[in-house]
Amino acid sequence: MANPEKFLKKYSGKIVGVGDIFDHHRTSIVGESQELYLQRTEKYWKHLSDFIVGNHDAEILADYCFQFNPVRIYRNGPVLALHGHQLKFSFNQAQIMKYEKMRYESRLLWDVEEWFCKTFHKYFRLKGKKAYAQALVTIEEVDCRGLLDDKVDTIITGHTHLPFDVKLNYKGKKYRVVNCGSSLHGKVFKPVYVRRIDKWF
């Protein structure tokens, strides 16, 4: 999707955000107030009907922007959506949070991370066997946490920012496992539509 802003306007009110939208920590480093941040970003978040909190999101901003409570897990009929950060227990969470705290306090660290993502993301694409392997890992992690039930056949995440859309069989049932990617820093944004619930993610 080349233009996220046009996409948001076209499908306004039918979009579920999968996290990492309210990252006010970066703007506070460069001196932008919460009010200015909200004014600048309203053209994006005002089109969302629901919002799943990501690990980069300042929840106080999400609470302020929406008439409903942001959620960690979104369920709607056959769809289970979550940001995905909470599935990544293979990493040392204490070290991740230590880095996140340092990043929030250092403009240089943040600038280096943004440059790295923008420069190298184009070389990382999940296709074929790699996409299938990641989809399988995702559904196994969801299952291990007891989040699959009989209704669910579509799982949507966004945390890794590397998009894929895979259909697979897991424990005798057909599933669709999707990562929407990211619209930031020149990354690839792949929105997904679920016709049965008339929602975009």
Side-chain angles (χ1 to χ4, degrees):
M1 176 64 65
N3 191 320
E5 195 169 344
K6 285 183 179 178
F7 167 80
L8 289 167
K9 287 178 181 177
K10 184 175 181 179
Y11 299 108
S12 184
K14 294 185 175 183
I15 303 168
V16 179
V18 291
D20 285 357
I21 293 175
F22 295 92
D23 200 349
H24 181 251
H25 301 287
R26 172 68 169 95
T27 56
S28 63
I29 289 173
V30 297
E32 184 177 42
S33 69
Q34 178 174 305
E35 291 75 19
L36 286 175
Y37 172 82
L38 290 171
Q39 288 173 13
R40 179 173 61 81
T41 59
E42 183 181 14
K43 62 184 178 181
Y44 301 109
W45 55 256
K46 70 179 182 181
H47 298 290
L48 303 180
S49 65
D50 299 271
F51 181 69
I52 302 163
V53 177
N55 58 302
H56 286 271
D57 292 307
E59 288 188 57
I60 189 170
L61 297 181
D63 287 335
Y64 177 86
C65 291
F66 294 111
Q67 309 254 330
F68 50 83
N69 292 325
V71 297
R72 297 277 174 190
I73 297 172
Y74 173 90
R75 290 181 181 272
N76 189 341
V79 176
L80 169 70
L82 60 166
H83 178 59
H85 176 72
Q86 60 267 57
L87 299 178
K88 302 300 174 185
F89 288 175
S90 56
F91 298 103
N92 184 322
Q93 293 296 301
Q95 290 300 315
I96 288 174
M97 295 315 295
K98 183 178 178 182
Y99 169 74
E100 293 286 348
K101 184 176 186 300
M102 286 178 11
R103 189 168 65 99
Y104 292 151
E105 296 170 354
S106 167
R107 181 173 181 173
L108 177 62
L109 267 180
W110 207 300
D111 289 341
V112 168
E113 182 180 292
E114 288 189 359
W115 172 84
F116 181 84
C117 289
K118 185 175 182 180
T119 303
F120 293 100
H121 185 267
K122 61 185 177 182
Y123 299 109
F124 296 95
R125 295 287 185 269
L126 290 177
K127 295 180 180 177
K129 291 180 180 178
K130 287 184 179 180
Y132 183 90
Q134 185 57 56
L136 185 58
V137 166
T138 298
I139 198 169
E140 287 173 343
E141 289 171 338
V142 167
D143 191 19
C144 283
R145 284 152 185 80
L147 299 175
L148 283 182
D149 61 36
D150 293 340
K151 293 180 182 177
V152 173
D153 63 20
T154 303
I155 299 167
I156 300 172
T157 65
H159 172 65
T160 62
H161 299 177
L162 296 172
F164 60 83
D165 191 341
V166 173
K167 292 181 179 175
L168 54 78
N169 282 298
Y170 178 72
K171 294 186 176 180
K173 183 176 176 179
K174 293 181 180 179
Y175 289 91
R176 181 183 185 190
V177 184
V178 181
N179 188 298
C180 299
S182 173
S183 61
L184 299 176
H185 314 306
K187 297 179 180 180
V188 179
F189 173 47
K190 296 275 190 176
V192 58
Y193 179 64
V194 181
R195 184 179 301 277
R196 287 171 293 171
I197 62 171
D198 193 25
K199 291 282 188 180
W200 285 88
F201 294 80

